[in-house]
Amino acid sequence: MPPPGPRLPPLLLLLLLTADCSSGLAGAGEGGSCEFSVERGGELYSFALAAPTPAHRHGVLSEDGFYKVAVNDSILWFQLCDEMLFNFDPPMCLNCEDCGGPSRCGTQCSALVSNYIRGYDVCTTIGSLSKSHISLVDESNPQKGIIVKMFSSKCSISVSVLCESTAAQVPDKFVISGLCDYATTLKHPSGCARSVSASGSGWGWLSTSFMTILCLLGGYIFIGAVYRYYFLGIHSVEAIPNLEFWIGLPQRVKTIFVPATRSHN
């Protein structure tokens, strides 16, 4: 049997597990590229465009891998919260080097437009996931939806995601302002905000705190048991750290609350 490899000290393992747990909680809350929160009138309005809804398991993301809008001789492709993916009907146009190249055109950006110029379809990258900004459609009414604006080196695209709680309506047109700034509108349940009290007593704050405590406690027990099992050679239930404390915990809680209950009788 080969000798066991080097093991990390238990304290370092616990710190790593805590950091991983904290990052997971952060990812589940605010801070993603398609997550947005704003406070208005004592309420905290939150949007999570990539979160699943009852009818859309990928949230606002197109399950085809892209949205496509054609107006006259121009075609606009875009995807929200991710880069585009083409399993069928890929763009066939020139100048696609900064968005996947000729063989994979459209797969390395989030928005692309094709214009018919002098007998050729010429592509222009107009948006990237790494260069995006989210704002409210109406600053005074967060329930109307949000605007996702993505940029490229010279162009941009603004996608208004309007709140539509019943069904999604894909865009069927776009407009151009300036030389290369595009805008279109999408109606979707993901454009509807979730609101909670901004006082800090909402379930979001409570659930995050509860999950953090559970994660730290679980990490402590797990790392302690691993350490005692492998380093101290304890191969029974005694490997659980502070076993006597956990066994006696229900009785300790009972002795605290029972006298208090009797004093009120």
PDB file of all heavy atoms in Angstrom, residues 33 89 171 190 214 222:
ATOM      1  N   SER A  33     -23.798  38.405 -12.535  1.00  0.00           N
ATOM      2  CA  SER A  33     -23.847  39.294 -13.684  1.00  0.00           C
ATOM      3  C   SER A  33     -25.266  39.551 -14.130  1.00  0.00           C
ATOM      4  O   SER A  33     -25.527  40.514 -14.832  1.00  0.00           O
ATOM      5  CB  SER A  33     -23.029  38.701 -14.835  1.00  0.00           C
ATOM      6  OG  SER A  33     -23.577  37.447 -15.219  1.00  0.00           O
ATOM      7  N   ASP A  89     -28.728  26.900 -37.352  1.00  0.00           N
ATOM      8  CA  ASP A  89     -28.892  28.232 -37.945  1.00  0.00           C
ATOM      9  C   ASP A  89     -27.857  29.235 -37.445  1.00  0.00           C
ATOM     10  O   ASP A  89     -28.203  30.304 -36.938  1.00  0.00           O
ATOM     11  CB  ASP A  89     -30.306  28.748 -37.670  1.00  0.00           C
ATOM     12  CG  ASP A  89     -30.656  29.973 -38.507  1.00  0.00           C
ATOM     13  OD1 ASP A  89     -30.013  30.165 -39.555  1.00  0.00           O
ATOM     14  OD2 ASP A  89     -31.565  30.726 -38.101  1.00  0.00           O
ATOM     15  N   PRO A 171     -38.773  39.163 -28.534  1.00  0.00           N
ATOM     16  CA  PRO A 171     -38.749  40.403 -29.316  1.00  0.00           C
ATOM     17  C   PRO A 171     -38.979  40.132 -30.798  1.00  0.00           C
ATOM     18  O   PRO A 171     -38.570  39.098 -31.330  1.00  0.00           O
ATOM     19  CB  PRO A 171     -37.348  40.955 -29.050  1.00  0.00           C
ATOM     20  CG  PRO A 171     -36.529  39.766 -28.655  1.00  0.00           C
ATOM     21  CD  PRO A 171     -37.462  38.855 -27.935  1.00  0.00           C
ATOM     22  N   SER A 190     -39.161  36.731 -15.646  1.00  0.00           N
ATOM     23  CA  SER A 190     -37.927  37.082 -14.935  1.00  0.00           C
ATOM     24  C   SER A 190     -37.756  38.586 -14.785  1.00  0.00           C
ATOM     25  O   SER A 190     -36.922  39.037 -13.998  1.00  0.00           O
ATOM     26  CB  SER A 190     -36.712  36.489 -15.662  1.00  0.00           C
ATOM     27  OG  SER A 190     -36.750  35.086 -15.654  1.00  0.00           O
ATOM     28  N   LEU A 214     -25.215  26.915   9.936  1.00  0.00           N
ATOM     29  CA  LEU A 214     -25.226  25.482   9.654  1.00  0.00           C
ATOM     30  C   LEU A 214     -23.963  25.046   8.926  1.00  0.00           C
ATOM     31  O   LEU A 214     -23.405  23.975   9.201  1.00  0.00           O
ATOM     32  CB  LEU A 214     -26.457  25.122   8.824  1.00  0.00           C
ATOM     33  CG  LEU A 214     -27.792  24.982   9.568  1.00  0.00           C
ATOM     34  CD1 LEU A 214     -28.877  24.544   8.588  1.00  0.00           C
ATOM     35  CD2 LEU A 214     -27.686  23.975  10.703  1.00  0.00           C
ATOM     36  N   PHE A 222     -17.340  17.932  10.629  1.00  0.00           N
ATOM     37  CA  PHE A 222     -16.742  17.094   9.586  1.00  0.00           C
ATOM     38  C   PHE A 222     -15.217  17.095   9.677  1.00  0.00           C
ATOM     39  O   PHE A 222     -14.577  16.035   9.689  1.00  0.00           O
ATOM     40  CB  PHE A 222     -17.192  17.578   8.211  1.00  0.00           C
ATOM     41  CG  PHE A 222     -16.536  16.854   7.070  1.00  0.00           C
ATOM     42  CD1 PHE A 222     -16.917  15.567   6.729  1.00  0.00           C
ATOM     43  CD2 PHE A 222     -15.526  17.461   6.336  1.00  0.00           C
ATOM     44  CE1 PHE A 222     -16.302  14.896   5.675  1.00  0.00           C
ATOM     45  CE2 PHE A 222     -14.908  16.799   5.288  1.00  0.00           C
ATOM     46  CZ  PHE A 222     -15.299  15.514   4.970  1.00  0.00           C
TER      47      PHE A 222
END
